[in-house]
Amino acid sequence: MFLIGQYDSPFVRRVAIALRLYGLGFEHRPWSTFGDADKIAPYNPLRRVPTLVLDDGEALIESTIILDYLDELVGEAKAMLPRGGAERRKHLRICALASGLGDKAVSLLYERVLRKEQLALWVERCQAQIADVLGVLETERTKVTTPYWLGDRIGHADIAVACVVRFTREAHPQLFDGARYPALAAHADRCEALAPFKEIVQPLAPPKG
């Protein structure tokens, strides 16, 4: 199978890191949604990443769907998300907040680099959403006394948060102050010290307008 997308995307990166942590082999095709949209289209008509193409040709789109498939593939004992109950909902909520943060951080970046005249109302809204989500994630992470949200074992929530924190730090350094979000900063640094995070990384290379 092969994974489409560049690793400066927090969504592509979280999928690739999960694949590596699960010990699943894959090829990487670092196609850009801007420069390589025509290459992506046959696999994903939305021309979005990540897209994971399985050995039989089936293409999975959206990180949540891809990760759900990977969890099923490796089995419940190894999966990085509980299969049901309150714990599953708790961690899905963290994943959803992280994904929403990533969406807003990407949107704000595109607003800056692709529009000659930024729409102030949209910029302010995105900045407020980013700040609010960071505040909630900081509060939630402060409550956790274990190394990871799932305990001593890393899970999808941990990966998602670490990937979007890195992206936000690089894309909008003025919006992420480690002194203001110490629990999130420490969490991200702990994850970034792991071998798969060091291997699967790419400096931010935004499109040019």
Side-chain angles (χ1 to χ4, degrees):
M1 56 185 169
F2 59 89
L3 177 65
I4 299 173
Q6 299 189 352
Y7 290 156
D8 61 349
S9 160
F11 305 104
V12 176
R13 190 177 182 227
R14 69 177 292 208
V15 169
I17 289 172
L19 281 162
R20 187 67 77 238
L21 286 170
Y22 279 153
L24 298 171
F26 69 99
E27 297 178 17
H28 180 217
R29 301 192 182 179
W31 296 343
S32 163
T33 54
F34 284 85
D36 302 302
D38 290 342
K39 293 181 181 178
I40 299 172
Y43 303 101
N44 185 345
L46 292 170
R47 295 163 172 80
R48 296 181 63 181
V49 295
T51 296
L52 182 68
V53 182
L54 308 184
D55 292 339
D56 63 2
E58 180 183 2
L60 304 179
I61 63 174
E62 299 293 344
S63 56
T64 301
I65 296 172
I66 295 171
L67 293 171
D68 186 68
Y69 166 77
L70 298 182
D71 287 351
E72 181 181 336
L73 191 63
V74 301
E76 186 174 349
K78 194 175 180 181
M80 291 188 286
L81 186 71
R83 295 310 299 170
E87 279 295 294
R88 178 178 176 83
R89 293 192 298 274
K90 171 184 173 183
H91 295 287
L92 283 175
R93 177 175 179 270
I94 300 300
C95 289
L97 287 169
S99 294
L101 171 60
D103 282 336
K104 292 304 171 182
V106 170
S107 294
L108 189 58
L109 177 66
Y110 286 172
E111 180 73 16
R112 186 174 76 234
V113 301
L114 297 179
R115 287 176 62 100
K116 293 182 179 179
E117 295 184 9
Q118 297 179 39
L119 182 60
L121 181 62
W122 178 248
V123 170
E124 292 171 4
R125 178 176 173 82
C126 287
Q127 290 177 339
Q129 290 170 302
I130 289 171
D132 287 350
V133 173
L134 286 172
V136 170
L137 289 174
E138 174 69 16
T139 298
E140 294 290 334
R141 192 62 182 91
T142 301
K143 297 176 183 177
V144 178
T145 58
T146 52
Y148 301 106
W149 253 289
L150 271 172
D152 294 327
R153 187 163 67 99
I154 194 169
H156 290 312
D158 303 290
I159 300 168
V161 171
C163 288
V164 298
V165 165
R166 183 184 186 96
F167 181 86
T168 305
R169 277 173 160 171
E170 292 187 351
H172 313 289
Q174 77 282 7
L175 299 181
F176 190 92
D177 181 355
R180 184 178 181 184
Y181 308 111
L184 282 181
H187 173 85
D189 291 344
R190 181 182 297 111
C191 291
E192 294 291 352
L194 300 175
F197 284 80
K198 290 182 178 180
E199 173 195 354
I200 297 171
V201 66
Q202 175 185 332
L204 180 62
K208 297 179 180 179

